[in-house]
Short mmCIF file of all heavy atoms in Angstrom, two decimals:
data_model
loop_
_atom_site.label_atom_id
_atom_site.label_comp_id
_atom_site.label_asym_id
_atom_site.label_seq_id
_atom_site.Cartn_x
_atom_site.Cartn_y
_atom_site.Cartn_z
N MET A 1 38.41 46.19 12.81
CA MET A 1 37.40 45.81 11.85
C MET A 1 36.47 47.00 11.65
O MET A 1 36.09 47.69 12.56
CB MET A 1 36.60 44.61 12.37
CG MET A 1 35.48 44.22 11.48
SD MET A 1 34.50 42.89 12.21
CE MET A 1 32.98 43.20 11.32
N THR A 2 36.04 47.20 10.42
CA THR A 2 35.02 48.20 10.14
C THR A 2 33.68 47.51 10.08
O THR A 2 33.57 46.29 10.02
CB THR A 2 35.31 48.87 8.76
OG1 THR A 2 35.27 47.88 7.75
CG2 THR A 2 36.63 49.59 8.75
N CYS A 3 32.61 48.29 10.14
CA CYS A 3 31.27 47.72 10.12
C CYS A 3 30.93 47.28 8.68
O CYS A 3 30.86 48.08 7.79
CB CYS A 3 30.27 48.78 10.60
SG CYS A 3 30.62 49.37 12.26
N GLU A 4 30.73 45.99 8.56
CA GLU A 4 30.37 45.43 7.26
C GLU A 4 29.09 44.64 7.44
O GLU A 4 29.08 43.62 8.12
CB GLU A 4 31.47 44.50 6.75
CG GLU A 4 32.80 45.19 6.53
CD GLU A 4 33.90 44.22 6.16
OE1 GLU A 4 33.61 43.17 5.55
OE2 GLU A 4 35.07 44.53 6.46
N GLU A 5 28.05 45.11 6.78
CA GLU A 5 26.73 44.49 6.96
C GLU A 5 26.75 43.02 6.55
O GLU A 5 26.16 42.18 7.20
CB GLU A 5 25.68 45.25 6.15
CG GLU A 5 24.28 44.73 6.39
CD GLU A 5 23.23 45.53 5.63
OE1 GLU A 5 23.53 46.67 5.20
OE2 GLU A 5 22.12 45.03 5.50
N GLY A 6 27.43 42.70 5.47
CA GLY A 6 27.48 41.32 5.00
C GLY A 6 28.09 40.38 6.02
O GLY A 6 27.61 39.27 6.19
N ARG A 7 29.17 40.82 6.67
CA ARG A 7 29.80 39.97 7.69
C ARG A 7 28.88 39.84 8.90
O ARG A 7 28.81 38.78 9.52
CB ARG A 7 31.14 40.55 8.12
CG ARG A 7 32.23 40.26 7.10
CD ARG A 7 33.55 40.70 7.60
NE ARG A 7 33.85 39.98 8.84
CZ ARG A 7 35.05 39.96 9.39
NH1 ARG A 7 36.03 40.62 8.86
NH2 ARG A 7 35.24 39.29 10.51
N LEU A 8 28.18 40.91 9.24
CA LEU A 8 27.26 40.87 10.36
C LEU A 8 26.12 39.88 10.09
O LEU A 8 25.76 39.06 10.95
CB LEU A 8 26.71 42.26 10.68
CG LEU A 8 25.94 42.41 11.97
CD1 LEU A 8 26.77 42.01 13.17
CD2 LEU A 8 25.47 43.85 12.12
N VAL A 9 25.60 39.91 8.87
CA VAL A 9 24.54 38.97 8.49
C VAL A 9 25.08 37.54 8.53
O VAL A 9 24.41 36.62 9.05
CB VAL A 9 23.98 39.32 7.11
CG1 VAL A 9 23.06 38.24 6.58
CG2 VAL A 9 23.26 40.66 7.16
N ALA A 10 26.27 37.33 8.01
CA ALA A 10 26.87 35.99 8.04
C ALA A 10 27.07 35.53 9.49
O ALA A 10 26.84 34.35 9.81
CB ALA A 10 28.21 35.99 7.30
N PHE A 11 27.49 36.42 10.37
CA PHE A 11 27.64 36.09 11.77
C PHE A 11 26.32 35.66 12.39
O PHE A 11 26.22 34.66 13.08
CB PHE A 11 28.21 37.33 12.52
CG PHE A 11 28.25 37.18 14.01
CD1 PHE A 11 29.30 36.44 14.61
CD2 PHE A 11 27.31 37.76 14.82
CE1 PHE A 11 29.37 36.32 15.99
CE2 PHE A 11 27.36 37.65 16.21
CZ PHE A 11 28.40 36.91 16.80
N LEU A 12 25.26 36.43 12.12
CA LEU A 12 23.95 36.13 12.67
C LEU A 12 23.40 34.79 12.16
O LEU A 12 22.61 34.14 12.83
CB LEU A 12 22.98 37.26 12.36
CG LEU A 12 23.28 38.57 13.11
CD1 LEU A 12 22.47 39.72 12.52
CD2 LEU A 12 22.99 38.40 14.58
N ASN A 13 23.81 34.41 10.96
CA ASN A 13 23.35 33.17 10.37
C ASN A 13 24.35 32.00 10.57
O ASN A 13 24.22 30.96 9.93
CB ASN A 13 23.07 33.36 8.87
CG ASN A 13 21.87 34.22 8.64
OD1 ASN A 13 20.86 34.11 9.36
ND2 ASN A 13 21.94 35.11 7.67
N HIS A 14 25.34 32.22 11.45
CA HIS A 14 26.33 31.21 11.76
C HIS A 14 27.06 30.70 10.54
O HIS A 14 27.23 29.49 10.35
CB HIS A 14 25.67 30.05 12.54
CG HIS A 14 24.89 30.49 13.74
ND1 HIS A 14 25.47 30.95 14.88
CD2 HIS A 14 23.57 30.61 13.93
CE1 HIS A 14 24.55 31.31 15.75
NE2 HIS A 14 23.36 31.13 15.19
N GLN A 15 27.47 31.64 9.67
CA GLN A 15 28.13 31.27 8.43
C GLN A 15 29.60 31.73 8.38
O GLN A 15 30.22 31.62 7.35
CB GLN A 15 27.38 31.90 7.24
CG GLN A 15 25.96 31.38 7.10
CD GLN A 15 25.16 32.12 6.05
OE1 GLN A 15 25.38 33.32 5.83
NE2 GLN A 15 24.22 31.44 5.41
N LEU A 16 30.12 32.19 9.48
CA LEU A 16 31.52 32.61 9.52
C LEU A 16 32.40 31.48 10.07
O LEU A 16 31.95 30.67 10.88
CB LEU A 16 31.69 33.84 10.44
CG LEU A 16 31.08 35.14 9.97
CD1 LEU A 16 31.36 36.24 10.99
CD2 LEU A 16 31.59 35.56 8.61
N GLY A 17 33.65 31.50 9.65
CA GLY A 17 34.60 30.59 10.23
C GLY A 17 34.95 31.06 11.65
O GLY A 17 34.59 32.17 12.07
N ALA A 18 35.65 30.20 12.39
CA ALA A 18 35.96 30.49 13.79
C ALA A 18 36.73 31.79 13.95
O ALA A 18 36.41 32.60 14.83
CB ALA A 18 36.71 29.32 14.40
N ALA A 19 37.74 32.02 13.12
CA ALA A 19 38.56 33.23 13.25
C ALA A 19 37.74 34.49 12.96
O ALA A 19 37.84 35.48 13.69
CB ALA A 19 39.76 33.14 12.32
N ASP A 20 36.93 34.45 11.90
CA ASP A 20 36.08 35.60 11.58
C ASP A 20 35.03 35.86 12.65
O ASP A 20 34.72 36.99 12.96
CB ASP A 20 35.43 35.42 10.21
CG ASP A 20 36.39 35.61 9.05
OD1 ASP A 20 37.38 36.35 9.24
OD2 ASP A 20 36.12 35.05 7.97
N GLU A 21 34.52 34.78 13.24
CA GLU A 21 33.52 34.93 14.28
C GLU A 21 34.15 35.61 15.52
O GLU A 21 33.54 36.51 16.10
CB GLU A 21 32.93 33.57 14.65
CG GLU A 21 31.75 33.66 15.58
CD GLU A 21 31.01 32.34 15.74
OE1 GLU A 21 30.70 31.71 14.74
OE2 GLU A 21 30.78 31.97 16.90
N LEU A 22 35.34 35.17 15.88
CA LEU A 22 36.03 35.79 17.02
C LEU A 22 36.33 37.25 16.74
O LEU A 22 36.17 38.12 17.63
CB LEU A 22 37.33 35.05 17.33
CG LEU A 22 37.16 33.70 17.99
CD1 LEU A 22 38.53 32.98 18.11
CD2 LEU A 22 36.56 33.85 19.39
N SER A 23 36.73 37.56 15.52
CA SER A 23 37.01 38.95 15.15
C SER A 23 35.74 39.81 15.25
O SER A 23 35.78 40.93 15.77
CB SER A 23 37.55 38.98 13.70
OG SER A 23 37.67 40.32 13.27
N LEU A 24 34.63 39.27 14.78
CA LEU A 24 33.38 40.04 14.85
C LEU A 24 32.91 40.18 16.29
O LEU A 24 32.42 41.24 16.68
CB LEU A 24 32.30 39.39 13.99
CG LEU A 24 31.21 40.41 13.66
CD1 LEU A 24 30.89 40.37 12.19
CD2 LEU A 24 29.99 40.22 14.50
N GLU A 25 33.08 39.17 17.09
CA GLU A 25 32.70 39.27 18.51
C GLU A 25 33.53 40.33 19.21
O GLU A 25 33.00 41.09 20.04
CB GLU A 25 32.86 37.90 19.19
CG GLU A 25 31.77 36.90 18.82
CD GLU A 25 31.98 35.52 19.40
OE1 GLU A 25 33.07 35.26 19.98
OE2 GLU A 25 31.05 34.71 19.25
N ALA A 26 34.80 40.43 18.87
CA ALA A 26 35.64 41.50 19.43
C ALA A 26 35.15 42.88 18.97
O ALA A 26 35.12 43.84 19.76
CB ALA A 26 37.11 41.29 19.04
N HIS A 27 34.74 42.96 17.72
CA HIS A 27 34.22 44.21 17.18
C HIS A 27 32.93 44.63 17.93
O HIS A 27 32.74 45.80 18.23
CB HIS A 27 33.92 44.05 15.68
CG HIS A 27 33.21 45.21 15.08
ND1 HIS A 27 33.85 46.42 14.82
CD2 HIS A 27 31.92 45.36 14.69
CE1 HIS A 27 32.96 47.27 14.31
NE2 HIS A 27 31.79 46.65 14.23
N LEU A 28 32.12 43.67 18.30
CA LEU A 28 30.87 43.97 18.99
C LEU A 28 31.11 44.62 20.36
O LEU A 28 30.26 45.36 20.85
CB LEU A 28 30.01 42.71 19.17
CG LEU A 28 29.46 42.11 17.89
CD1 LEU A 28 28.75 40.78 18.21
CD2 LEU A 28 28.52 43.07 17.19
N LEU A 29 32.28 44.35 20.94
CA LEU A 29 32.61 44.96 22.23
C LEU A 29 32.83 46.46 22.12
O LEU A 29 32.72 47.19 23.11
CB LEU A 29 33.86 44.29 22.82
CG LEU A 29 33.70 42.82 23.18
CD1 LEU A 29 35.06 42.25 23.60
CD2 LEU A 29 32.66 42.62 24.28
N THR A 30 33.15 46.94 20.91
CA THR A 30 33.47 48.35 20.76
C THR A 30 32.51 49.10 19.86
O THR A 30 32.61 50.31 19.75
CB THR A 30 34.89 48.50 20.16
OG1 THR A 30 34.92 47.89 18.86
CG2 THR A 30 35.93 47.84 21.05
N CYS A 31 31.58 48.42 19.23
CA CYS A 31 30.69 49.10 18.26
C CYS A 31 29.24 49.01 18.73
O CYS A 31 28.62 47.94 18.66
CB CYS A 31 30.83 48.46 16.88
SG CYS A 31 29.80 49.25 15.62
N ASP A 32 28.73 50.12 19.22
CA ASP A 32 27.34 50.14 19.70
C ASP A 32 26.33 49.81 18.61
O ASP A 32 25.36 49.11 18.84
CB ASP A 32 27.01 51.52 20.27
CG ASP A 32 27.77 51.83 21.56
OD1 ASP A 32 28.25 50.87 22.21
OD2 ASP A 32 27.90 53.02 21.89
N GLY A 33 26.58 50.29 17.39
CA GLY A 33 25.62 50.07 16.28
C GLY A 33 25.51 48.60 15.92
O GLY A 33 24.39 48.06 15.79
N CYS A 34 26.64 47.92 15.78
CA CYS A 34 26.58 46.50 15.43
C CYS A 34 26.05 45.67 16.61
O CYS A 34 25.30 44.73 16.39
CB CYS A 34 27.99 46.01 15.05
SG CYS A 34 28.53 46.61 13.42
N ARG A 35 26.46 46.03 17.83
CA ARG A 35 25.94 45.31 19.00
C ARG A 35 24.42 45.43 19.09
O ARG A 35 23.72 44.46 19.37
CB ARG A 35 26.62 45.84 20.27
CG ARG A 35 26.32 45.02 21.49
CD ARG A 35 27.17 45.39 22.70
NE ARG A 35 27.23 46.82 22.97
CZ ARG A 35 28.31 47.61 22.77
NH1 ARG A 35 29.43 47.07 22.30
NH2 ARG A 35 28.26 48.89 23.03
N GLU A 36 23.89 46.63 18.81
CA GLU A 36 22.44 46.83 18.84
C GLU A 36 21.77 46.05 17.72
O GLU A 36 20.69 45.48 17.91
CB GLU A 36 22.12 48.31 18.76
CG GLU A 36 20.63 48.61 18.67
CD GLU A 36 19.80 48.08 19.84
OE1 GLU A 36 20.34 47.87 20.94
OE2 GLU A 36 18.58 47.85 19.64
N ALA A 37 22.41 45.97 16.55
CA ALA A 37 21.84 45.21 15.44
C ALA A 37 21.75 43.73 15.80
O ALA A 37 20.75 43.07 15.51
CB ALA A 37 22.68 45.41 14.18
N VAL A 38 22.78 43.21 16.45
CA VAL A 38 22.77 41.80 16.86
C VAL A 38 21.69 41.57 17.92
O VAL A 38 20.93 40.62 17.87
CB VAL A 38 24.15 41.38 17.40
CG1 VAL A 38 24.09 40.01 18.09
CG2 VAL A 38 25.16 41.33 16.25
N ARG A 39 21.58 42.50 18.89
CA ARG A 39 20.58 42.39 19.93
C ARG A 39 19.18 42.40 19.33
O ARG A 39 18.34 41.56 19.67
CB ARG A 39 20.71 43.52 20.95
CG ARG A 39 19.79 43.32 22.15
CD ARG A 39 19.41 44.64 22.80
NE ARG A 39 18.65 45.54 21.93
CZ ARG A 39 17.34 45.35 21.61
NH1 ARG A 39 16.67 44.32 22.06
NH2 ARG A 39 16.73 46.19 20.81
N ALA A 40 18.93 43.30 18.40
CA ALA A 40 17.60 43.41 17.75
C ALA A 40 17.30 42.18 16.94
O ALA A 40 16.17 41.66 16.95
CB ALA A 40 17.55 44.65 16.89
N ASP A 41 18.29 41.65 16.22
CA ASP A 41 18.07 40.45 15.42
C ASP A 41 17.72 39.26 16.31
O ASP A 41 16.77 38.52 16.03
CB ASP A 41 19.33 40.13 14.58
CG ASP A 41 19.13 38.90 13.73
OD1 ASP A 41 18.57 39.04 12.62
OD2 ASP A 41 19.48 37.79 14.18
N ARG A 42 18.46 39.09 17.37
CA ARG A 42 18.20 37.99 18.27
C ARG A 42 16.83 38.11 18.95
O ARG A 42 16.12 37.11 19.13
CB ARG A 42 19.33 37.86 19.29
CG ARG A 42 20.60 37.36 18.63
CD ARG A 42 21.74 37.24 19.58
NE ARG A 42 22.91 36.67 18.89
CZ ARG A 42 24.14 36.72 19.34
NH1 ARG A 42 24.39 37.28 20.52
NH2 ARG A 42 25.13 36.20 18.65
N ALA A 43 16.44 39.32 19.32
CA ALA A 43 15.13 39.55 19.92
C ALA A 43 14.04 39.20 18.91
O ALA A 43 13.02 38.57 19.25
CB ALA A 43 14.99 40.98 20.40
N GLY A 44 14.24 39.60 17.66
CA GLY A 44 13.25 39.30 16.62
C GLY A 44 13.12 37.81 16.37
O GLY A 44 12.02 37.27 16.19
N ARG A 45 14.25 37.10 16.39
CA ARG A 45 14.22 35.66 16.17
C ARG A 45 13.49 34.95 17.33
O ARG A 45 12.73 34.01 17.12
CB ARG A 45 15.64 35.10 16.03
CG ARG A 45 16.27 35.48 14.71
CD ARG A 45 17.73 35.02 14.64
NE ARG A 45 18.42 35.62 13.53
CZ ARG A 45 18.94 34.92 12.52
NH1 ARG A 45 18.81 33.62 12.49
NH2 ARG A 45 19.54 35.55 11.54
N ARG A 46 13.73 35.45 18.58
CA ARG A 46 13.00 34.85 19.72
C ARG A 46 11.50 35.09 19.59
O ARG A 46 10.71 34.20 19.88
CB ARG A 46 13.52 35.45 21.03
CG ARG A 46 14.83 34.83 21.51
CD ARG A 46 15.18 35.27 22.92
NE ARG A 46 15.24 36.69 23.12
CZ ARG A 46 16.35 37.46 22.89
NH1 ARG A 46 17.45 36.88 22.48
NH2 ARG A 46 16.31 38.76 23.10
N ALA A 47 11.13 36.31 19.17
CA ALA A 47 9.71 36.61 19.01
C ALA A 47 9.08 35.69 17.94
O ALA A 47 7.96 35.21 18.12
CB ALA A 47 9.52 38.08 18.63
N LEU A 48 9.78 35.49 16.84
CA LEU A 48 9.24 34.61 15.80
C LEU A 48 9.10 33.16 16.29
O LEU A 48 8.13 32.48 15.97
CB LEU A 48 10.16 34.64 14.56
CG LEU A 48 10.03 35.87 13.68
CD1 LEU A 48 11.10 35.86 12.60
CD2 LEU A 48 8.66 35.96 13.08
N GLU A 49 10.06 32.71 17.09
CA GLU A 49 9.97 31.35 17.61
C GLU A 49 8.73 31.19 18.48
O GLU A 49 8.09 30.12 18.49
CB GLU A 49 11.21 31.02 18.41
CG GLU A 49 12.43 30.78 17.54
CD GLU A 49 13.71 30.62 18.35
OE1 GLU A 49 13.67 30.67 19.59
OE2 GLU A 49 14.77 30.47 17.72
N GLN A 50 8.35 32.22 19.21
CA GLN A 50 7.18 32.14 20.06
C GLN A 50 5.89 32.11 19.25
O GLN A 50 4.88 31.63 19.71
CB GLN A 50 7.14 33.31 21.03
CG GLN A 50 8.27 33.22 22.06
CD GLN A 50 8.31 34.44 22.97
OE1 GLN A 50 7.65 35.44 22.72
NE2 GLN A 50 9.12 34.37 24.00
N LEU A 51 5.94 32.64 18.02
CA LEU A 51 4.75 32.62 17.18
C LEU A 51 4.53 31.26 16.50
O LEU A 51 3.43 30.97 16.05
CB LEU A 51 4.87 33.69 16.09
CG LEU A 51 4.81 35.13 16.57
CD1 LEU A 51 5.08 36.06 15.39
CD2 LEU A 51 3.50 35.45 17.21
N CYS A 52 5.57 30.47 16.46
CA CYS A 52 5.49 29.16 15.80
C CYS A 52 4.98 28.13 16.77
O CYS A 52 5.73 27.43 17.44
CB CYS A 52 6.86 28.76 15.25
SG CYS A 52 7.46 29.85 13.98
N LEU A 53 3.68 28.06 16.88
CA LEU A 53 3.05 27.11 17.81
C LEU A 53 2.44 25.96 17.02
O LEU A 53 2.04 26.14 15.87
CB LEU A 53 1.95 27.80 18.62
CG LEU A 53 2.39 29.02 19.44
CD1 LEU A 53 1.20 29.67 20.07
CD2 LEU A 53 3.39 28.60 20.48
N THR A 54 2.35 24.85 17.63
CA THR A 54 1.70 23.68 17.01
C THR A 54 0.19 23.86 17.19
O THR A 54 -0.31 24.19 18.26
CB THR A 54 2.16 22.39 17.70
OG1 THR A 54 3.58 22.32 17.58
CG2 THR A 54 1.53 21.17 17.04
N ALA A 55 -0.52 23.61 16.09
CA ALA A 55 -2.00 23.72 16.14
C ALA A 55 -2.55 22.63 17.04
O ALA A 55 -2.03 21.52 17.09
CB ALA A 55 -2.57 23.57 14.73
N PRO A 56 -3.62 22.93 17.75
CA PRO A 56 -4.24 21.90 18.61
C PRO A 56 -4.78 20.74 17.76
O PRO A 56 -5.15 20.96 16.60
CB PRO A 56 -5.35 22.63 19.33
CG PRO A 56 -5.46 23.97 18.73
CD PRO A 56 -4.28 24.20 17.85
N PRO A 57 -4.86 19.57 18.33
CA PRO A 57 -5.40 18.42 17.60
C PRO A 57 -6.79 18.72 17.08
O PRO A 57 -7.62 19.28 17.78
CB PRO A 57 -5.42 17.29 18.63
CG PRO A 57 -4.48 17.74 19.72
CD PRO A 57 -4.47 19.23 19.70
N GLY A 58 -7.05 18.35 15.84
CA GLY A 58 -8.37 18.49 15.24
C GLY A 58 -8.64 19.86 14.63
O GLY A 58 -9.69 20.05 14.00
N LEU A 59 -7.76 20.82 14.79
CA LEU A 59 -8.02 22.17 14.28
C LEU A 59 -8.16 22.15 12.75
O LEU A 59 -9.08 22.74 12.21
CB LEU A 59 -6.91 23.13 14.70
CG LEU A 59 -7.08 24.56 14.14
CD1 LEU A 59 -8.35 25.20 14.68
CD2 LEU A 59 -5.86 25.40 14.46
N SER A 60 -7.27 21.45 12.09
CA SER A 60 -7.32 21.41 10.63
C SER A 60 -8.66 20.84 10.15
O SER A 60 -9.28 21.38 9.21
CB SER A 60 -6.16 20.55 10.09
OG SER A 60 -6.23 20.46 8.68
N ALA A 61 -9.11 19.77 10.78
CA ALA A 61 -10.40 19.15 10.37
C ALA A 61 -11.55 20.12 10.63
O ALA A 61 -12.48 20.21 9.79
CB ALA A 61 -10.61 17.85 11.13
N ARG A 62 -11.53 20.85 11.74
CA ARG A 62 -12.62 21.78 12.05
C ARG A 62 -12.63 22.94 11.07
O ARG A 62 -13.71 23.37 10.62
CB ARG A 62 -12.48 22.32 13.48
CG ARG A 62 -12.77 21.21 14.52
CD ARG A 62 -12.91 21.78 15.94
NE ARG A 62 -11.86 22.65 16.38
CZ ARG A 62 -10.75 22.25 17.04
NH1 ARG A 62 -10.58 20.98 17.32
NH2 ARG A 62 -9.85 23.13 17.41
N VAL A 63 -11.47 23.44 10.70
CA VAL A 63 -11.38 24.54 9.75
C VAL A 63 -11.87 24.07 8.38
O VAL A 63 -12.66 24.74 7.71
CB VAL A 63 -9.95 25.10 9.65
CG1 VAL A 63 -9.80 26.07 8.50
CG2 VAL A 63 -9.58 25.78 10.96
N THR A 64 -11.44 22.89 7.94
CA THR A 64 -11.85 22.35 6.66
C THR A 64 -13.38 22.17 6.64
O THR A 64 -14.04 22.53 5.65
CB THR A 64 -11.15 21.01 6.40
OG1 THR A 64 -9.73 21.24 6.38
CG2 THR A 64 -11.60 20.40 5.07
N ALA A 65 -13.96 21.64 7.71
CA ALA A 65 -15.41 21.45 7.75
C ALA A 65 -16.13 22.80 7.71
O ALA A 65 -17.14 22.93 7.02
CB ALA A 65 -15.78 20.68 9.03
N ALA A 66 -15.63 23.80 8.40
CA ALA A 66 -16.24 25.12 8.40
C ALA A 66 -16.20 25.73 6.99
O ALA A 66 -17.16 26.37 6.55
CB ALA A 66 -15.56 26.04 9.40
N ILE A 67 -15.11 25.54 6.28
CA ILE A 67 -14.99 26.06 4.92
C ILE A 67 -15.99 25.36 4.00
O ILE A 67 -16.68 26.00 3.21
CB ILE A 67 -13.56 25.92 4.40
CG1 ILE A 67 -12.63 26.84 5.16
CG2 ILE A 67 -13.47 26.16 2.89
CD1 ILE A 67 -11.13 26.61 4.90
N ARG A 68 -16.12 24.05 4.13
CA ARG A 68 -17.07 23.31 3.32
C ARG A 68 -18.51 23.77 3.62
O ARG A 68 -19.31 23.91 2.67
CB ARG A 68 -16.92 21.82 3.55
CG ARG A 68 -15.67 21.24 2.93
CD ARG A 68 -15.61 19.75 3.04
NE ARG A 68 -14.38 19.27 2.44
CZ ARG A 68 -13.61 18.35 2.94
NH1 ARG A 68 -13.94 17.76 4.08
NH2 ARG A 68 -12.49 18.01 2.32
N ARG A 69 -18.82 23.98 4.88
CA ARG A 69 -20.17 24.49 5.21
C ARG A 69 -20.41 25.85 4.60
O ARG A 69 -21.48 26.14 4.09
CB ARG A 69 -20.36 24.53 6.73
CG ARG A 69 -20.63 23.17 7.36
CD ARG A 69 -21.09 23.30 8.81
NE ARG A 69 -20.18 24.07 9.65
CZ ARG A 69 -19.15 23.59 10.30
NH1 ARG A 69 -18.87 22.29 10.25
NH2 ARG A 69 -18.40 24.38 11.06
N ALA A 70 -19.41 26.69 4.65
CA ALA A 70 -19.54 28.06 4.12
C ALA A 70 -19.70 28.05 2.59
O ALA A 70 -20.38 28.93 2.05
CB ALA A 70 -18.34 28.91 4.51
N ASP A 71 -19.09 27.05 1.93
CA ASP A 71 -19.18 26.98 0.47
C ASP A 71 -20.48 26.29 0.02
O ASP A 71 -20.82 26.37 -1.15
CB ASP A 71 -17.98 26.21 -0.08
CG ASP A 71 -16.74 27.04 -0.10
OD1 ASP A 71 -16.81 28.27 0.00
OD2 ASP A 71 -15.62 26.46 -0.25
N SER A 72 -21.15 25.60 0.91
CA SER A 72 -22.37 24.89 0.53
C SER A 72 -23.53 25.88 0.38
O SER A 72 -23.66 26.81 1.16
CB SER A 72 -22.74 23.86 1.62
OG SER A 72 -21.73 22.90 1.73
N PRO A 73 -24.38 25.62 -0.64
CA PRO A 73 -25.55 26.48 -0.78
C PRO A 73 -26.49 26.28 0.39
O PRO A 73 -26.58 25.19 0.96
CB PRO A 73 -26.20 26.03 -2.10
CG PRO A 73 -25.59 24.68 -2.38
CD PRO A 73 -24.30 24.60 -1.63
N PRO A 74 -27.24 27.31 0.77
CA PRO A 74 -28.17 27.19 1.88
C PRO A 74 -29.25 26.13 1.54
O PRO A 74 -29.68 26.00 0.40
CB PRO A 74 -28.78 28.54 2.04
CG PRO A 74 -28.10 29.44 1.06
CD PRO A 74 -27.22 28.63 0.19
N ALA A 75 -29.69 25.43 2.53
CA ALA A 75 -30.70 24.37 2.33
C ALA A 75 -32.09 24.94 2.25
O ALA A 75 -32.47 25.97 2.61
CB ALA A 75 -30.64 23.37 3.45
#
């Protein structure tokens, strides 16, 4: 297999059939560039998952109240 960015992207997005996935996995054993691209993509996805946190209870109400106070004219 040659390095094909489109197939690598499809692999990373779980869009390949079983045979194509096995072929690409075999390619990763011999291609440092593609293997590094997969490693970097997976590391980036893990980092993004860690950024997706649930807001603490009441945060939305506190932010909304703070915005309303900031928009109100001074007394």
Side-chain angles (χ1 to χ4, degrees):
M1 176 185 156
T2 60
C3 301
E4 299 174 29
E5 186 177 342
R7 283 186 60 168
L8 190 57
V9 170
F11 173 79
L12 291 167
N13 290 321
H14 308 287
Q15 297 172 329
L16 292 181
D20 286 334
E21 189 170 310
L22 286 174
S23 173
L24 201 133
E25 286 174 352
H27 173 74
L28 292 175
L29 296 173
T30 62
C31 181
D32 292 339
C34 288
R35 190 171 47 252
E36 176 57 25
V38 168
R39 188 207 62 74
D41 181 84
R42 289 180 176 163
R45 289 175 192 243
R46 280 191 303 274
L48 284 174
E49 287 172 2
Q50 291 175 351
L51 292 174
C52 296
L53 302 175
T54 303
L59 178 63
S60 178
R62 291 192 309 269
V63 170
T64 301
I67 292 169
R68 288 186 180 137
R69 283 192 305 272
D71 284 343
S72 298

